[in-house]
Amino acid sequence: MNITYYGTRGSIPVPGKDTVNYGGNTACIKVVVDNTLIILDAGSGLWKLGLELMQTEFAEGKGTAHLFFSHLHWDHINGFPFFKPAYIKNNLLIFYSVENPLYNVEQALSDQQQHINFPVKIEEMASSRKFKKMPVGGSIKCGPAVISNLKLRHPGAAFSYKIEADRKKLVYATDTEHADTLNERLVSFAYGADLLIYDTMFTPEEYKSRVGWGHSTYIEGIKLAKAARVKQLHLFHYNPEHTDHQIAGIEREAKKLFPGAYAAKEGWCFDLS
Ligand SMILES: [Zn+2]
Ligand SMILES: [Zn+2]
């Protein structure tokens, strides 16, 4: 299982000299299992992933991508209108979602590309698109990977995805707020994972005035990582106001409590196998 971060930021893209190290683009991760391409979230980082895919079979309309969305807030879908492979005939894009009335991927992507927002409607994009749904708490096969979901605590609806393949386990849990007690459902969902990618948008101090916003902290991520015995924890969905300097400080503090903690960086590519 090979993983690359194309966007690690929350809420809004923040390009600039203070964010070059950990990245300014919003959520987008590429996961490759054998020849199966899985994309987790379509934030602004998707644009660059699209350009790279245009150097492959996607340029000739021979590519297939499997797209999963944690949820449909704008920072997780705003890269899609700029995803070049979607404009190439015969590329196949398969969109996965969970059966939930607040979580209609097809509708959200279509709404985003109404002409008042964008010049090209989704149905005018030349690629082929399929929409697949799985039940809440269910799983679906995607090439050699099995992907399961867990509902998260976030305004609207958000879902964590677990990708299992090659005897490796990746859990992506962004846009979630912790409660007073540990989320035991998430602990058991992530139990024994090789990697947990977790929403660490706020410092514990910032969180105090942002209760109910749907985000969490590195301290909560570490509690989960320890309880679930995960090997690595990646901090993710950074506050757009946090500079590289601040994130490096948070990463240092996190490592003191959990040596397997790392701050996710845009452009970081690594193998879980
Ligand atoms: Zn978000
Ligand atoms: Zn959100």
Side-chain angles (χ1 to χ4, degrees):
M1 194 185 299
N2 183 268
I3 298 160
T4 312
Y5 288 110
Y6 286 85
T8 57
R9 191 66 54 171
S11 302
I12 186 168
V14 280
K17 62 180 174 34
D18 292 332
T19 57
V20 282
N21 194 30
Y22 294 99
N25 280 301
T26 64
C28 182
I29 304 172
K30 178 178 80 171
V31 180
V32 178
V33 182
D34 297 338
N35 291 320
T36 300
L37 168 67
I38 297 164
I39 298 172
L40 298 172
D41 278 331
S44 66
L46 184 71
W47 172 73
K48 185 156 187 214
L49 170 54
L51 290 189
E52 290 181 12
L53 293 175
M54 291 300 286
Q55 305 300 314
T56 69
E57 71 273 18
F58 280 90
E60 294 148 35
K62 293 178 179 164
T64 298
H66 304 266
L67 294 100
F68 289 80
F69 299 83
S70 60
H71 64 315
L72 304 169
H73 283 159
W74 199 34
D75 50 327
H76 299 257
I77 61 171
N78 62 8
F80 187 73
F82 303 93
F83 185 53
K84 280 200 170 175
Y87 292 86
I88 307 295
K89 195 169 186 283
N90 293 330
N91 279 334
L92 175 60
L93 307 180
I94 308 176
F95 301 87
Y96 296 82
S97 61
V98 179
E99 286 158 6
N100 183 295
L102 297 174
Y103 179 66
N104 187 331
V105 170
E106 192 166 4
Q107 179 83 50
L109 294 177
S110 166
D111 286 354
Q112 173 172 242
Q113 287 179 237
Q114 291 305 303
H115 282 165
I116 194 164
N117 298 322
F118 196 75
V120 186
K121 288 192 175 182
I122 192 166
E123 29 323 344
E124 294 163 356
M125 295 167 116
S127 56
S128 303
R129 290 168 298 281
K130 269 190 196 165
F131 292 85
K132 291 189 177 181
K133 284 194 178 183
M134 61 178 125
V136 179
S139 62
I140 202 160
K141 195 120 169 62
C142 184
V146 175
I147 305 186
S148 39
N149 73 79
L150 178 80
K151 193 166 187 300
L152 295 173
R153 191 164 175 249
H154 192 67
F159 294 88
S160 170
Y161 290 103
K162 174 165 62 184
I163 304 179
E164 292 173 278
D166 301 340
R167 296 192 303 281
K168 294 285 166 185
K169 219 188 268 188
L170 158 67
V171 175
Y172 178 55
T174 193
D175 293 65
T176 184
E177 182 165 353
H178 53 280
D180 294 338
T181 54
L182 202 58
N183 183 345
E184 293 296 342
R185 287 162 54 250
L186 185 52
V187 169
S188 74
F189 188 68
Y191 200 82
D194 298 277
L195 171 60
L196 168 64
I197 301 169
Y198 186 70
D199 180 337
T200 59
M201 184 150 177
F202 299 128
T203 63
E205 198 49 41
E206 288 167 341
Y207 176 72
K208 288 179 192 162
S209 59
R210 292 164 176 87
V211 174
W213 289 29
H215 297 287
S216 194
T217 69
Y218 74 93
I219 296 286
E220 295 298 325
I222 288 168
K223 283 186 200 164
L224 281 169
K226 285 182 173 174
R229 297 180 172 272
V230 307
K231 294 198 180 101
Q232 269 190 40
L233 167 71
H234 286 189
L235 316 183
F236 189 77
H237 201 279
Y238 304 124
N239 185 336
E241 293 174 25
H242 287 177
T243 62
D244 285 337
H245 180 71
Q246 284 169 295
I247 295 171
I250 292 168
E251 185 178 28
R252 270 196 305 277
E253 290 306 309
K255 272 191 186 301
K256 285 183 199 162
L257 301 169
F258 186 72
Y262 298 85
K265 271 184 193 178
E266 192 175 315
W268 184 14
C269 175
F270 54 95
D271 232 321
L272 266 197
S273 303

